[in-house]
């Protein structure tokens, strides 16, 4: 496959943390840590809880910050009797650009199946936003040596029925479950091997030009110290950061380590 340069994408997944007041404070810290020029060098996305989307949209747009607004979840239907859910169109109206889907916490705690991940990713794309589709194996699967096959099957299921022009825009995030929130990050080599394997799978499903354009992140206990090592690897196009994104200074340092 021809080597090309892809713009890095660094996402901060706040999970169920930060009130809308704390969200604003965290963005002030981030602003004080990174410059406007820094934010041009990579795509930086904040995925706050739904309750902070409007506050952050207002700040990002009023201050013309080069930060994209992201969401952590949505439902695949457009509207209707789905108590507690949020539609892709509602997120789009708030100028959300990226939506995480298939995070292991949603797969495990909220029974999000491969089929739901696929339907949701399609609904996000149809609403003109970009899905950040998470895949990754458990410790047990890795110990059994089945991680490459397992992740490839998750990628295939998530992309089922996707048109080639849509696939080119998506983001895939390799997040080994054993590395999420544990402090036990994968090595940069492990991340590279899996991201390259994911790209190969996309190439088999579509073609090499398409696979070359898809951005593939690593996520799992990324911090200020290890962030830079992952993104030096050719197939690792950025990071999905949980814990270290909750602090604006730490997340700013993660960004600076990558760009
Ligand atoms: C995540 O939330 O997707 C994640 C990778 O979390 P952490 O960085 O805390 O491991």
């Amino acid at each position: 496959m021809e080597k090309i340069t892809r713009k890095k994408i660094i996402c901060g997944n706040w999970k169920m943390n930060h009130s809308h007041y704390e969200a604003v404070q965290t963005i002030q810290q981030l602003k004080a840590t990174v410059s406007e020029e820094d934010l041009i060098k990579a795509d930086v996305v904040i995925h706050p809880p739904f309750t902070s989307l409007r506050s952050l949209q207002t700040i990002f747009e009023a201050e013309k910050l080069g930060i994209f607004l992201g969401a952590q979840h949505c439902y695949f239907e457009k509207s209707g009797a789905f108590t507690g859910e949020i539609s892709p169109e509602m997120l789009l109206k708030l100028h959300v650009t990226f939506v995480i889907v298939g995070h292991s916490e949603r797969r495990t705690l909220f029974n999000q199946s491969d089929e739901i991940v696929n339907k949701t990713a399609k609904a996000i794309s149809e609403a003109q936003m970009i899905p950040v589709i998470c895949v990754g194996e458990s410790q047990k699967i890795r110990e059994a040596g089945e991680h490459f096959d397992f992740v490839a099957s998750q990628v295939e299921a998530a992309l089922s029925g996707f048109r080639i022009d849509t696939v080119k825009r998506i983001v895939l995030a390799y997040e080994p479950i054993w590395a999420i929130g544990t402090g036990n990050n994968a090595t940069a080599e492990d991340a590279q091997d899996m991201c390259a394997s994911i790209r190969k799978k996309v190439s088999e499903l579509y073609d090499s030009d398409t696979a070359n354009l898809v951005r593939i992140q690593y996520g799992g206990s990324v911090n200020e110290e290890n962030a830079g090592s992952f993104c030096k690897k050719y197939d690792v196009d950025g990071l999905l950061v949980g814990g270290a994104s909750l602090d604006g200074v730490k997340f700013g340092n993660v960004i600076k380590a990558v760009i």
Side-chain angles (χ1 to χ4, degrees):
M1 215 179 287
E2 189 203 342
K3 295 228 167 180
I4 64 160
T5 305
R6 291 173 290 268
K7 193 173 189 189
K8 302 279 189 243
I9 173 163
I10 308 162
C11 297
N13 173 19
W14 286 359
K15 311 193 189 194
M16 197 174 72
N17 293 293
H18 288 341
S19 68
H20 67 291
Y21 296 115
E22 291 160 342
V24 172
Q25 284 166 359
T26 306
I27 296 303
Q28 300 308 340
Q29 291 175 330
L30 179 60
K31 259 177 59 184
T33 312
V34 292
S35 66
E36 271 179 45
E37 292 74 44
D38 292 338
L39 292 171
I40 293 168
K41 290 182 193 153
D43 288 344
V44 174
V45 190
I46 296 287
H47 300 258
F50 290 135
T51 47
S52 296
L53 283 173
R54 180 68 175 144
S55 306
L56 294 199
Q57 180 208 2
T58 307
I59 297 178
F60 291 176
E61 291 178 8
E63 301 191 18
K64 294 193 171 53
L65 292 183
I67 302 176
F68 291 97
L69 192 57
Q72 299 174 20
H73 167 71
C74 67
Y75 196 52
F76 53 81
E77 295 285 358
K78 287 191 166 62
S79 62
F82 304 106
T83 302
E85 290 294 338
I86 301 279
S87 73
E89 285 72 14
M90 290 170 180
L91 297 177
L92 185 68
K93 285 265 188 281
L94 287 165
H95 298 176
V96 164
T97 307
F98 295 90
V99 187
I100 296 172
V101 53
H103 192 282
S104 67
E105 286 152 17
R106 292 222 65 95
R107 290 181 190 259
T108 314
L109 302 172
F110 303 99
N111 302 318
Q112 204 177 43
S113 63
D114 278 339
E115 194 193 342
I116 302 279
V117 170
N118 173 250
K119 278 185 172 178
T120 310
K122 274 191 197 141
I124 293 163
S125 293
E126 278 160 21
Q128 305 308 316
M129 296 179 293
I130 300 173
V132 177
I133 305 172
C134 302
V135 292
E137 81 286 357
S138 64
Q139 179 83 43
K140 204 168 153 215
I141 291 174
R142 179 160 277 258
E143 279 166 8
E146 292 162 2
H147 43 297
F148 290 111
D149 287 347
F150 178 81
V151 169
S153 73
Q154 282 187 318
V155 170
E156 183 162 6
L159 297 183
S160 170
F162 259 81
R163 290 202 327 266
I164 198 161
D165 54 318
T166 315
V167 172
K168 287 179 179 156
R169 300 176 63 236
I170 65 162
V171 176
L172 291 166
Y174 168 53
E175 295 214 302
I177 298 171
W178 45 270
I180 298 178
T182 59
N184 180 25
N185 58 279
T187 63
E189 289 70 31
D190 284 340
Q192 162 60 27
D193 289 349
M194 186 59 87
C195 290
S197 164
I198 292 171
R199 200 177 304 288
K200 186 164 160 273
K201 184 70 195 174
V202 177
S203 170
E204 284 162 17
L205 293 170
Y206 294 89
D207 57 39
S208 58
D209 288 348
T210 304
N212 244 343
L213 292 172
V214 170
R215 291 188 289 180
I216 308 174
Q217 299 173 308
Y218 166 75
S221 297
V222 169
N223 58 37
E224 297 158 281
E225 282 78 42
N226 62 24
S229 66
F230 296 108
C231 292
K232 288 194 179 72
K233 299 291 181 188
Y234 174 71
D235 286 292
V236 183
D237 303 314
L239 301 166
L240 179 47
V241 187
S245 71
L246 291 174
D247 178 303
V249 176
K250 284 189 185 157
F251 191 53
N253 288 335
V254 166
I255 296 165
K256 289 204 281 197
V258 170
I259 56 175

